[in-house]
Amino acid sequence: MNTKFIFVTGGVASSLGKGVMASTIGRLLQNRGYKITIQKFDPYINVDPGTLNPNEHGECYVTVDGYECDLDLGHYERFTDIKTTRWNSFTTGRIYMEVIDKERRGEYGGKTVQVVPHITNAIKENMLRTSKDNSLDFVITEIGGTVGDIEGLPFLESIRQLKWELGEDAIVVHLAYVPYIAAAGELKTKPTQHSVKQLQSYGIQPDCIILRSEHPLSMDLRRKVAGFCNVRPDCVLHSPDVSTIYELPIKMHEDGLDEVILKLCNVDVNEKITSNSYADANQKLSTSVPSTSLTEQWKHFVDLRKTATEELHIGFVGKYNLQDAYKSITESMSIAGTYKNRKVKCHFIDSENITEDNVAEQLKGMQGYVICPGFGDRGIEGKITAAKYLRENNLPTLGICLGMQIMAIEFARNVLGYSDAHSAEFSKTTKHPVIDIMEEQKNLVYVGNTMRLGGYECELREDSKARKAYGKEKITERHRHRYELNSSFIDEMELNGMIVSGKNPRSALAEIIELPANHWYLGTQFHPEYSSTVLNPHPLFLAFLDAVLRK
Ligand code: GLN
């Protein structure tokens, strides 16, 4: 079968869950045995979200190959277990940069370079790029923003052209919102009709319309939308409110989404999938659930999630809001919680408010703690104060990236007695830069950035909590940081009870530190949250919650 292309657009309002819907489509097709990928095209001008403020834009997600991208790619990976790369995420800025670079190199042969065809050609080329991997059955492309946004036009024009060029191999799924007007006691389809008209005015006819609504939608309402929007009634579907986003694949399957998509793409819906094609897609089956079909595994997870009602409270010592800024960490924690039959509640503890005097009060009431990643010196002293309290009171603590660095700084200050110990990121004058830029780092190849980004190998020390959690010696985890644990302090730290339990085999850079004497006090220089998925919850999050539950 030719690779099929599914474009996902959004209308009426933002935040309707287009990313989750694209992920849901991917999951449902995988459940039928198809091999898929999901990619995102964002209309903003930043070349990538690496420099965007997490409070405003949410977390910056990192792919295995070290690309800083939109947090929606985190949803794609958590839902589908695929490994996205730099070719799964584009912004207007990146496309323009590519075109302008080409123009500067004289590659347009003196032609006037224009939005159409040069920008749209670059967009189209990149929309098709992942399909060069011939084994893919479906490429799902989510367009950021809402139909009608000025900056989204080149992407929509590209879809219009591709739909024409690819014929029956391309379809458009449009997600729109149906509001309920309480005064009239009615659900209103007009905003949806307008957003479809807008799409049509760009020359794009959606093939399937998914209506987001908190209320049940009657067949009459669906027929009405179908009639106004030139779509078959059975291709108007309902995306309801769900108690957990992971229930959406189940609900959408019940509403017929995968069947509708297959029909629209002219794929036989009764085709029995015998091959194990998802196995090639890097998709190991989870050991936490019975090895049955993917649909069953997914249902098992959602059932567990609904029955896991006993709450577990985890405090996030950080400086960004919890809504989206630590999305992958909160999701990884709550997914791991589900497998432990617990409902994880994540609480934000603003490190800027933490002082020696109030630390006990600020941290009280939680069963486990995460010291969060971050950049810049705001809230650093509060994090160090929190780390001291958590270490001394033997409370289950997981430090991630900056969080791990904070654990090392605190240990150097209060156990090794170097009161000025700090990271070179925050103090240029400290005599004890326990966190610094290392000579060994220079041997590692960094791609287009001064940061260590993406997957790096790590070897785990025998008899460590880390090794026990992973159950193996060699792992690969994703990074996003500039500074490292200073190797000249390691011997002294180890003599005093803080061990390096994970090291990069090539550079010997420290990847994990832990306090064997404590119940669970472990920090990772890498970000385990980027590789935790619904069907493969991350071993460190599971082990952390085990420790929390034992306490
Ligand atoms: N700011 C630290 C560094 O660059 C940690 C980064 C992070 O937490 N992602 O090394």
Side-chain angles (χ1 to χ4, degrees):
M1 142 177 150
N2 296 341
T3 304
K4 308 282 181 182
F5 293 83
I6 302 169
F7 296 98
V8 181
T9 59
V12 182
S14 54
S15 305
L16 295 183
K18 236 183 315 136
V20 171
M21 189 54 76
S23 307
T24 292
I25 295 174
R27 179 79 259 165
L28 290 178
L29 292 168
Q30 281 181 319
N31 288 357
R32 287 176 174 263
Y34 294 107
K35 206 171 153 190
I36 60 117
T37 196
I38 317 181
Q39 54 196 23
K40 179 149 196 211
F41 282 71
D42 266 310
Y44 56 81
I45 312 285
N46 306 63
V47 173
D48 63 47
T51 52
L52 290 176
N53 181 342
N55 269 336
E56 191 182 313
H57 197 83
E59 104 184 335
C60 171
Y61 188 75
V62 178
T63 59
V64 226
D65 65 334
Y67 194 68
E68 297 179 286
C69 57
D70 190 84
L71 58 77
D72 267 324
L73 273 82
H75 286 307
Y76 303 167
E77 293 206 10
R78 282 189 290 277
F79 270 73
T80 65
D81 271 282
I82 56 168
K83 298 272 178 277
T84 57
T85 70
R86 64 189 57 248
W87 306 114
N88 290 70
S89 172
F90 284 87
T91 65
T92 292
R94 182 169 171 197
I95 299 280
Y96 269 77
M97 192 142 105
E98 189 184 307
V99 170
I100 292 171
D101 279 348
K102 230 167 134 179
E103 187 271 338
R104 292 290 83 185
R105 292 195 302 268
E107 288 180 29
Y108 290 109
K111 286 249 179 330
T112 309
V113 180
Q114 293 176 302
V115 174
V116 185
H118 302 99
I119 293 295
T120 47
N121 281 351
I123 294 173
K124 280 162 60 183
E125 211 171 284
N126 287 311
M127 281 177 167
L128 297 177
R129 190 185 295 271
T130 46
S131 69
K132 304 251 158 65
D133 168 4
N134 287 326
S135 65
L136 285 178
D137 300 310
F138 290 89
V139 173
I140 300 157
T141 305
E142 178 192 352
I143 306 299
T146 309
V147 165
D149 295 345
I150 294 172
E151 60 262 43
L153 280 177
F155 293 123
L156 296 176
E157 168 59 15
S158 304
I159 294 178
R160 184 193 67 75
Q161 294 181 21
L162 281 177
K163 239 194 138 196
W164 180 248
E165 289 162 24
L166 294 165
E168 64 179 30
D169 290 336
I171 65 165
V172 171
V173 173
H174 183 64
L175 180 66
Y177 182 58
V178 175
Y180 178 75
I181 308 290
E186 271 179 54
L187 287 159
K188 294 295 185 188
T189 64
K190 197 73 85 191
T192 297
Q193 294 176 40
H194 282 299
S195 77
V196 173
K197 285 238 156 59
Q198 186 110 40
L199 207 48
Q200 288 165 339
S201 76
Y202 305 139
I204 298 175
Q205 172 59 50
D207 301 280
C208 168
I209 298 176
I210 303 178
L211 301 173
R212 177 85 182 77
S213 173
E214 298 87 343
H215 301 270
L217 301 181
S218 66
M219 266 332 282
D220 272 355
L221 183 139
R222 296 189 195 205
R223 267 193 292 271
K224 183 172 166 192
V225 171
F228 276 113
C229 301
N230 302 346
V231 170
R232 290 196 331 233
D234 61 318
C235 297
V236 179
L237 303 173
H238 176 212
S239 166
D241 267 6
V242 276
S243 57
T244 150
I245 54 169
Y246 302 114
E247 197 181 0
L248 201 63
I250 296 174
K251 291 282 182 211
M252 294 315 297
H253 173 70
E254 283 166 8
D255 212 36
L257 179 60
D258 36 331
E259 198 169 322
V260 163
I261 285 178
L262 292 179
K263 276 188 190 152
L264 287 168
C265 291
N266 285 315
V267 177
D268 182 0
V269 292
N270 294 316
E271 188 187 345
K272 272 273 171 288
I273 305 301
T274 47
S275 83
N276 220 13
S277 61
Y278 44 81
D280 340 319
N282 260 335
Q283 295 153 13
K284 308 166 270 142
L285 297 185
S286 168
T287 47
S288 322
V289 286
S291 170
T292 45
S293 77
L294 288 176
T295 313
E296 288 311 309
Q297 284 193 49
W298 196 270
K299 278 201 181 122
H300 171 76
F301 172 80
V302 174
D303 286 346
L304 270 182
R305 202 161 173 92
K306 286 184 173 166
T307 50
T309 47
E310 197 181 321
E311 292 182 351
L312 207 55
H313 299 272
I314 307 295
F316 280 63
V317 183
K319 66 168 175 175
Y320 305 119
N321 67 58
L322 263 200
Q323 178 63 28
D324 274 342
Y326 305 114
K327 189 75 179 168
S328 291
I329 310 181
T330 52
E331 286 305 307
S332 303
M333 195 63 87
S334 98
I335 289 170
T338 299
Y339 286 105
K340 299 289 164 200
N341 274 307
R342 291 294 186 286
K343 191 185 179 81
V344 169
K345 292 267 174 197
C346 300
H347 303 266
F348 175 52
I349 303 171
D350 189 343
S351 63
E352 276 199 289
N353 299 334
I354 299 177
T355 62
E356 288 280 357
D357 296 336
N358 70 13
V359 60
E361 177 65 21
Q362 291 280 330
L363 298 183
K364 78 163 196 276
M366 300 291 132
Q367 289 150 290
Y369 298 84
V370 175
I371 308 180
C372 294
F375 291 84
D377 57 10
R378 184 165 64 84
I380 289 295
E381 288 304 321
K383 279 188 177 170
I384 296 173
T385 306
K388 176 167 188 268
Y389 180 87
L390 296 168
R391 178 179 58 77
E392 289 178 346
N393 289 280
N394 199 6
L395 295 165
T397 309
L398 172 61
I400 300 182
C401 208
L402 177 65
M404 173 267 204
Q405 299 177 353
I406 294 286
M407 286 172 155
I409 296 168
E410 188 280 316
F411 191 80
R413 283 189 189 181
N414 301 312
V415 178
L416 306 186
Y418 301 135
S419 59
D420 74 332
H422 223 318
S423 162
E425 180 178 3
F426 312 121
S427 164
K428 298 291 166 228
T429 53
T430 174
K431 293 210 170 53
H432 299 96
V434 267
I435 305 296
D436 206 348
I437 305 271
M438 295 284 91
E439 193 55 34
E440 296 89 321
Q441 275 173 270
K442 296 172 189 157
N443 304 328
L444 299 170
V445 194
Y446 289 175
V447 242
N449 202 310
T450 56
M451 273 204 272
R452 182 140 78 111
L453 283 168
Y456 285 86
E457 276 194 348
C458 168
E459 269 168 16
L460 303 175
R461 175 169 157 165
E462 199 78 68
D463 293 336
S464 62
K465 290 201 172 73
R467 174 74 175 264
K468 192 161 169 242
Y470 281 96
K472 57 181 175 187
E473 195 194 339
K474 271 204 171 90
I475 55 164
T476 300
E477 292 282 5
R478 299 182 210 181
H479 291 246
R480 181 178 184 243
H481 58 100
R482 251 177 219 105
Y483 296 84
E484 305 281 350
L485 179 65
N486 188 338
S487 45
S488 55
F489 288 89
I490 292 181
D491 286 347
E492 203 182 342
M493 286 170 70
E494 296 210 326
L495 274 174
N496 287 279
M498 177 173 267
I499 63 162
V500 172
S501 54
K503 271 190 186 161
N504 180 299
R506 280 179 54 210
S507 61
L509 290 172
E511 306 283 29
I512 309 178
I513 55 175
E514 56 184 86
L515 285 178
N518 274 41
H519 181 65
W520 173 278
Y521 190 85
L522 181 148
T524 62
Q525 186 57 82
F526 52 78
H527 291 263
E529 72 275 20
Y530 292 145
S531 50
S532 183
T533 72
V534 169
L535 296 187
N536 283 295
H538 196 284
L540 280 183
F541 285 95
L542 293 171
F544 168 72
L545 290 182
D546 278 338
V548 169
L549 289 170
R550 276 198 310 272
K551 186 87 186 174

